[in-house]
């Protein structure tokens, strides 16, 4: 099947990386496959309850896209998520639509998906519902060669009920000196566009000035009208979230600047650019990660709080280390080296790093440090730690930095539990160019909107504002509310998984 490129090998800007240290919870039920409730469940007021038939025998989880209820006219994508990694060995999934309008939707092998490498079979825009009738439809799944087979029922709502700004929403573009910006009509970005054009151009001009390198071509920017990951992605192109109620707290200028530095950095070459320095450079040249901040002083605060991550370990597992701390330390290290050795010497070193036979980035860095500065990585770190210990910090900064870390951990936990398409390790990020060619907007427009989603997102938006305004007590109080709510959700999910049929969620899908 022709794939939408899910943009795996990108930097995620304010981006990529991995989040908290605890693994995502398992949503899969013990017995047959489950449909994720927030995705296929018809709402009580608009459709009947979904009552899938089951043929027991698997632990596969099925997710449908776009998120939320489905409507006639949707081109539906399907993820069949494996409980383990055995499926990578020559297994595949076949899908059929059963009923009066039966159709073979083909098969897909299990592969690793997203930055997290989740094992799944992925069917991209495989089910065109344009000519179907509203109501229940059966999808038959068969894992080959040994099973299991099962049937899931999904409810298609009438096309007239599709939420705004669909069905009239469509892709538009605007061209600036720096960039070609693709966005969807009827979104917050479209509304704010007149004010944003100058901001985008200014970030591009500043990025060029800070890096001392021109863009080789206009930068392609796709605006995401929902939160995905931490709100920014960059490979050859940039994807960036813009929405009035961005619960990941990004500000457009900051994240755009970060991503533009990634593009210029990539253009500038280097055989192995270690992640510690790739992200460190983007944060350093943007004067902060999610906001402008005194980088060295904030790392000093982290050090005093005993949150400092040793550089060798950080270099070798950058994207699985604590995200905010890793990015700040990378930026502080770049700043320290530029201050001590000058930009040119730093850049010569950074562009002259080569893979080490061990594949450890720390050892590759160590080799290049010895060649350029006659230092081992340990010696560099020792000098770096001496420098950050000299930084002046105040109690406010310690509160701010630790609350920021806690806040983004809560954002990622929320995504894993209640907005899984947005969780950066396995984000559903279809290729923008293919979506534009096919005229598809729903994958980016729709998102979970249950009362729980709305309540937690509102709190997260507010917490970000409170931290930015220095209202740390209020931020801490609201963070506690979010964690409390997420604890409840997690317990419900785990009970649901442990006791099939024991909670309402299971009854809905297994009766
Ligand atoms: Zn980045």
């Amino acid at each position: 099947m022709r794939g939408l490129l899910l943009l795996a090998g990108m930097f995620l800007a304010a981006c990529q990386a991995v989040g908290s240290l605890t693994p995502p919870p398992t949503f899969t039920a013990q017995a047959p496959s489950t449909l994720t409730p927030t995705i296929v469940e018809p709402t009580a007021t608009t459709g009947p309850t979904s009552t899938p038939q089951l043929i027991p025998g698997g632990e596969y989880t099925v997710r449908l896209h776009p998120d939320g209820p489905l409507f006639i006219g949707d081109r539906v994508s399907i993820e069949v998520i494996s409980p383990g990694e055995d499926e990578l060995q020559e297994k595949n999934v076949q899908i059929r639509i059963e009923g009066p309008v039966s159709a073979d939707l083909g098969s897909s092998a299990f592969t690793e998906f997203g930055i997290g490498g989740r094992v799944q079979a992925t069917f991209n825009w495989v089910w065109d519902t344009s000519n179907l009738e509203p109501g229940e439809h059966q999808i038959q799944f068969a894992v080959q060669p040994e099973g299991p087979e099962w049937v899931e029922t999904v409810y298609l709502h009438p096309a007239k009920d599709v939420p705004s700004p669909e069905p009239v929403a469509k892709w538009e573009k605007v061209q600036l000196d720096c960039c070609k910006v693709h966005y969807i009509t009827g979104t917050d970005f479209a509304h704010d566009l007149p004010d944003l054009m100058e901001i985008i151009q200014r970030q591009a001009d500043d990025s060029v000035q800070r890096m001392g390198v021109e863009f080789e071509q206009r930068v392609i920017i796709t605006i995401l009208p929902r939160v995905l990951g931490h709100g920014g992605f960059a490979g050859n192109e940039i994807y960036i979230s813009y929405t009035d109620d961005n619960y990941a707290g990004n500000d457009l200028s900051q994240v755009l600047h970060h991503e533009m530095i990634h593009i210029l950095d990539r253009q500038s070459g280097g055989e192995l650019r270690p992640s510690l320095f790739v992200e460190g450079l983007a944060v350093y040249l943007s004067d902060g990660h999610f906001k402008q901040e005194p980088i060295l002083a904030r790392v000093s605060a982290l050090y005093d709080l005993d949150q400092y991550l040793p550089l060798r370990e950080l270099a070798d597992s950058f994207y699985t280390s604590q995200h905010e701390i890793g990015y700040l330390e990378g930026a502080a290290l770049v700043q320290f080296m530029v201050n001590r050795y000058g930009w040119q010497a730093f850049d010569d070193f950074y562009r002259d790093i080569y893979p080490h036979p061990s594949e450890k980035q720390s050892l590759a860095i160590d080799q290049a440090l010895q060649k350029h500065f006659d230092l081992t990585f340990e010696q560099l770190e020792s000098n770096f730690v001496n420098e950050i210990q000299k930084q002046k910090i105040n109690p406010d900064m310690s509160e701010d930095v630790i609350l920021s870390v806690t806040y983004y951990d809560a954002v990622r936990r929320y995504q894993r539990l209640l907005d899984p398409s947005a969780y950066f390790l396995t984000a559903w990020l279809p290729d923008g160019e293919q979506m534009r060619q096919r005229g598809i907007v729903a994958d980016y427009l729709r998102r979970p909107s249950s009362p729980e989603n709305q309540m937690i997102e509102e709190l997260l938006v507010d917490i970000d504002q409170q931290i930015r305004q220095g209202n740390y007590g209020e931020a801490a109080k609201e963070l506690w509310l979010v964690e409390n709510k997420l604890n409840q959700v997690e317990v419900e999910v785990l009970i649901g998984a442990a006791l099939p049929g024991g909670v309402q969620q299971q009854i809905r899908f297994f009766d």
Side-chain angles (χ1 to χ4, degrees), residues 11-16 258-259 262 278-279 282-283 289 319 327:
F11 318 106
L12 320 181
C15 55
Q16 177 151 351
H258 179 115
E259 305 300 348
H262 277 327
V278 168
E279 299 298 351
V283 174
H289 190 195
Y319 289 118
Y327 276 55

Side-chain angles (χ1 to χ4, degrees), residues 184-477:
I184 297 172
T185 58
T187 56
D188 293 336
F189 183 89
H191 180 262
D192 297 344
L193 179 59
D195 297 329
L196 296 174
M197 287 167 62
E198 190 189 329
I199 289 173
I200 294 169
Q201 183 64 47
R202 200 186 313 139
Q203 299 315 312
D205 293 343
D206 191 74
S207 303
V208 165
Q209 193 257 323
R210 296 291 295 268
M211 275 289 287
V213 178
E214 297 283 339
F215 288 109
E216 288 171 352
Q217 56 197 12
R218 273 200 179 84
V219 182
I220 308 287
I221 302 174
T222 297
I223 304 294
L224 307 168
R226 63 169 291 181
V227 176
L228 287 176
H230 301 95
F233 300 80
N236 293 323
E237 304 177 4
I238 290 174
Y239 290 71
I240 194 158
S241 294
Y242 187 89
T243 163
D244 289 348
D245 48 2
N246 185 327
Y247 69 78
N250 296 320
D251 98 30
L252 179 74
S253 301
Q254 191 72 27
V255 182
L256 199 51
H257 197 281
H258 179 115
E259 305 300 348
M260 286 174 162
I261 295 292
H262 277 327
I263 300 259
L264 293 169
D265 175 18
R266 189 183 181 123
Q267 272 180 212
S268 302
E271 188 164 327
L272 171 69
R273 289 175 302 121
S275 308
L276 175 68
F277 287 110
V278 168
E279 299 298 351
L281 184 68
V283 174
Y284 164 62
L285 289 180
S286 302
D287 297 324
H289 190 195
F290 293 107
K291 61 184 175 187
Q292 311 259 307
E293 55 196 343
I295 293 165
L296 284 169
R298 283 172 80 85
V299 172
S300 182
L302 286 169
Y303 193 86
D304 284 356
L305 290 161
D306 210 17
Q307 297 293 311
Y308 176 82
L309 303 174
L311 292 183
R312 187 178 282 277
E313 290 166 37
L314 181 59
D316 287 334
S317 54
F318 187 79
Y319 289 118
T320 49
S321 298
Q322 206 290 333
H323 180 98
E324 286 68 37
I325 296 174
Y327 276 55
L328 267 183
E329 284 190 23
L333 183 64
V334 173
Q335 182 168 353
F336 166 73
M337 292 182 74
V338 171
N339 288 351
R340 178 159 293 198
Y341 305 111
W343 170 260
Q344 195 57 54
F346 167 77
D347 198 56
D348 290 346
F349 150 77
Y350 174 50
R351 309 277 167 213
D352 194 29
I353 304 175
Y354 300 90
H356 187 271
S358 66
E359 297 186 3
K360 284 182 180 290
Q361 295 200 347
S362 63
L363 293 177
I365 293 167
D366 190 72
Q367 278 182 339
L369 282 171
Q370 296 200 38
K371 177 178 170 190
H372 283 259
F373 301 111
D374 201 20
L375 282 175
T376 64
F377 202 2
E378 277 67 29
Q379 287 168 326
L380 177 73
E381 179 165 30
S382 170
N383 297 341
F384 172 60
V385 168
N386 281 339
E387 181 67 25
I388 59 175
Q389 285 179 312
K390 288 185 203 155
Q391 298 293 313
K392 286 203 173 73
I393 53 173
N394 57 43
D396 270 10
M397 189 174 296
S398 299
E399 271 192 281
D400 191 292
V401 75
I402 208 68
L403 276 169
S404 300
V405 168
T406 312
Y407 163 69
Y408 279 102
D409 277 342
V411 166
R412 286 183 289 269
R413 188 172 175 222
Y414 163 70
Q415 291 178 333
R416 291 200 318 263
L417 286 166
L418 291 172
D419 191 5
S421 297
Y423 184 56
F424 76 99
L425 283 180
T426 48
W428 186 252
L429 184 69
D431 177 62
E433 182 58 31
Q434 287 202 43
M435 288 182 70
R436 291 188 283 275
Q437 285 172 6
R438 295 165 187 243
I440 294 175
V441 292
D443 291 73
Y444 287 162
L445 278 176
R446 304 212 203 130
R447 60 193 175 105
S449 58
S450 73
E452 280 170 331
N453 289 97
Q454 290 176 38
M455 186 197 97
I456 294 173
E457 289 187 15
E458 278 172 23
L459 280 167
L460 290 171
V461 168
D462 201 58
I463 292 163
D464 176 58
Q465 290 304 314
Q466 300 289 2
I467 295 174
R468 286 174 194 265
Q469 291 163 16
N471 301 328
Y472 303 123
E474 192 57 31
K477 216 184 308 173

Side-chain angles (χ1 to χ4, degrees), residues 79-135:
E79 296 176 281
V80 182
I81 301 167
S82 160
E85 296 190 352
D86 292 349
E87 279 68 10
L88 283 172
Q89 309 301 322
E90 299 178 1
K91 285 196 181 183
N92 67 71
V93 180
Q94 294 181 358
I95 299 185
R96 275 187 66 76
I97 302 298
E98 295 293 341
V101 191
S102 64
D104 190 348
L105 299 187
S107 68
S108 175
F110 285 93
T111 56
E112 293 185 353
F113 176 88
I115 303 155
R118 183 173 66 192
V119 177
Q120 64 182 62
T122 310
F123 296 80
N124 302 314
W125 300 312
V126 71
W127 186 26
D128 185 346
T129 63
S130 302
N131 298 316
L132 302 178
E133 293 296 322

